[in-house]
Amino acid sequence: MSTQIERFEDPGLPEHLHRKADTDPKAAKRAEQQVAILFLLSAVGTVGTIASYIWVHPQVYLYIPILGSTNVQQACIGLGLTLATLTIGLGAIQWAKKLMPDVEQVQERHEFRSSDKDRDDLTKTVENRVEETGIARRPLIKRTLGLALGLVGLSPLVLLRDLGPMPGKYLDTTDWTAGTRLMLDPANTPIRPEDLEVGAVAQVLPELPAGTERTLENIGKDAVLLIRLRPEDFNLDPERLSWTYNGIIAFSKICTHMGCAVALYEQQTHHLLCPCHQSTFDVTRAAKVIFGPAARPLPQLAITVDANGYLVAKQPFTVPIGPSFWERNSKNG
Amino acid sequence: MADKKTSPTTRTGKLAAGAANYADDRLGSAGYLKKNLNKIFPDHWSFMLGEVCLYSFVILLLSGTFLTFWFDPSQRDVVYQGAYTPLSGVSMSAAYASTLHLSFDVRGGLLMRQIHHWAALIFMVAIVVHLFRVFFTGAFRKPRETNWLIGIGLLTFGIIEGFLGYSLPDDLLSGTGIRIAEAILQAIPVVGSYLAFFAFGGPFPGTSFIPRVYMVHILLLPALFLALITVHLMMVWYQKHTQFPGPGRKESNVVGYPLMPVYMAKAGGFFFIVFGVTAFLGAVASINPIWLYGPYTPGQISAGSQPDWYMGWLDGLVRMAPPLETHWLGHTISWNILLPSLVLPGLIFVGMTFYPFIEAWISGDHREHHLLDRPRNVPNRTALGAMSIAFMVIALANGGNDIIATHFHLTINGIMWFTRIGLFTVPPIVFIITKRVCLSLQRADRDLVLHGRETGRLVMLPSGEMIEVHEPISDARKWTLTQHQQPEALPAPLPEEALVGWKGKLRKRMNEAHNVQVPAATLSELKELGDSHH
Ligand code: HEM
Ligand code: FES
């Protein structure tokens, strides 16, 4: 190694090259005209927008390949607006690029750090001012202030308490009780086993006491899927088998993962699939999870028929339906 | 010249002078404005990404305000009687009915809905790409850490704002999204069911959620955005923009064009271009056709439910989570929900938030930086960024696993296992590859400086050997390719006392990894080569 290593040096800002429009008045004139045309097009766009708003019929649809069925008026207004705005932008940029000065300029930066003296002075001033409050010497004030400030934030929290009621046992229960009739959704009529062919699926809801209106909250926890299989397809323990009726089995439709409606039934494989995250449940094995993020089977509803031959629930659900929650006692699966 | 008062001669000049003097008499603003109209802004295409964020936010404010005039944020039951006949007589929430009204009965209403939704997608894309630009070029280094933090805040609130936005119409798709959000709340240990009941004003879905979300969507979060964006821009203004290295560009200067007129014309023009592009998308590209989904009811679902893309990676993580739940003393903990939707995203966002401070701790570099890094010159950081992108892409791919499965004839099971394994194996591989690629690019830079550019012309030497003619590159190029910091020039490599204990050792190892570099070519080397060549 001989002497010091030489590094490359900054050659400095490159020399400024003139644009055509800087030197050739014809080119400048052309650029000016281009900008003006763009701005004029914008005016045309606005006129088009207003004309479409007034004169194009609001309920005309046109089938455009790829885009599908398109409302002509909405599209015309939108295209007018596109023309009106895009051309202002293009014009302004063309103007800036071709006609405004394009000489790069240099500005110096200054370091943000202040002088040591200023910094020291500031620190001292702050120290003095804090000292003047006497907070260091008066721990009683310091502590009580800490307490007060710490507590004052509690009030808004407490005031938010009335945002909603306490959950209580709500998440543990549904409207299904022993003897509740299964009502077809949306017809709201009771259903007999014969109404359901082998391979068929139906959504049912519990019959509510007369005079109560069904809300979305009810549906959100009561929705049940009925599926009819051939009895020999089942692969259930005797208890669960006794919860079915003539090949009809009933499950909560609310996914045990995050509560979506488990709506897709595959006849051949007897699988129920939740479209949200693809948890898949095997109907023949009491909705055991065979794929996906759900951790628990869909709760099964025990069913039978009443004296009039209508399907009814034998008993309430034995476990809470739907997604998990902290208070959920999972003794029974 | 000094004392002579010049009076403007043109009409525009007079008007401007009048306004400026009026303001100056009251605010003393002339000096300040004069200085700032001359403020220099460096020019680079990637500096427009932040502008796209700002402009699409403005578009969101404008189109969103338009929507508020018709949208009715209520979950009260109504029976639909509007222009869209397939849903005539169907009972639904007022929110859904008013969104149908906006789409079919208000002239330009559908356009504005679509502009609003497209602008939201562009806003989120622009934020993410802008963030990666800042990351890969090291623009987050001192003194700009605060703006990095604000950016992470904007990203986080943007994701929430977008989700709340498409929850408003109360269609079957968005209701399903809300149901999932409720399940996440409910899964939080100890307080989950309380949080869910408080948020929804009782059991799901209730009638309070959409009115509450509406308030957050149109007032709370937009106000927060406005405040954060204002501070963000004031900081950019005050600290001056960073610039890419090149001839004449130093840590101590800014090279570019003055605010008035060039930058104003370009930036102002660019706003209209972003507006035009968004209007075009709104005009021709249908997005969120809520009338096809129907009103929300918890007992039904539309097949192939997909959230907007910025939520898609979360959905993908949720889909690939193992079916894990702990049952303990009569309590249930759903790891299958908590891990992918709260724990993992939480860790990722905490990591992103602290990255500037972590990197400074590793490198021991606490100086101000105004010249950007060329990504290849900081291989470790670039590799980390590439690795994060790989992670997100894999998660996002699994979020669309049903669509990918049907399009490419794959099984969902196959995709899930591929992404489950890929999520942990692909990012490290991407890290290693990226780091190598960066180092080869540095080597290529070095060769370019020392041996020049290949011209493709072959000549025969007297000995009969064929060689390709190389042409030296310009001095400007040479400077650009060699100006970057060399590790040995770091002012204060880590002090000895900082390197004791396991933390010190870790720091030392990470510091070494961080500093891996191909030495830049030097003039001495070039001279030596020149001497030996002929
Ligand atoms: C960063 C800001 C924002 C984002 C990301 C965002 C996103 C969204 C999205 C994705 C939708 C669903 C649109 C649809 O497909 O129907 C929406 C709806 C809505 N947004 Fe925003 N928005 C933002 C700001 C605003 C602001 C500032 C306002 C009002 C001042 C607003 C008012 C509305 C209204 C009224 C709706 C419901 C109407 C409808 O869906 O048709 N938004 N928002
Ligand atoms: S909600 Fe059914 S799989 Fe997630």
Side-chain angles (χ1 to χ4, degrees), chain B residues 57 60-61 64-65 67-68 71 99 102 113 116-117 120 123 158 161-162 165-166 168-169 214 217-218 222 225 288 308 310:
Chain B
F57 178 66
L60 283 163
L61 283 178
T65 305
L67 296 177
T68 59
F71 179 69
T99 312
L102 257 168
R113 271 195 59 230
H116 194 70
H117 206 133
F123 180 68
E161 175 79 345
Y166 73 68
L168 287 175
Y214 186 60
H217 183 78
I218 71 159
F225 279 116
N288 203 13
D308 273 359
Y310 45 86

Side-chain angles (χ1 to χ4, degrees), chain B residues 111-132:
Chain B
L111 174 71
M112 280 299 168
R113 271 195 59 230
Q114 301 199 142
I115 288 183
H116 194 70
H117 206 133
W118 277 114
L121 297 188
I122 293 174
F123 180 68
M124 293 310 298
V125 174
I127 289 189
V128 170
V129 182
H130 174 59
L131 180 132
F132 278 119

Side-chain angles (χ1 to χ4, degrees), chain A residues 71-97:
Chain A
N71 180 302
V72 174
Q73 188 186 41
Q74 305 272 357
C76 288
I77 296 176
L79 291 175
L81 212 55
T82 305
L83 187 64
T85 49
L86 207 56
T87 45
I88 294 185
L90 293 174
I93 286 176
Q94 178 77 346
W95 183 5
K97 282 204 159 159

Side-chain angles (χ1 to χ4, degrees), chain A residues 255 257-260 262 274 276-279 293-294:
Chain A
C255 189
H257 180 225
M258 294 169 105
C260 291
V262 182
C274 175
C276 278
H277 315 103
Q278 289 113 22
S279 290

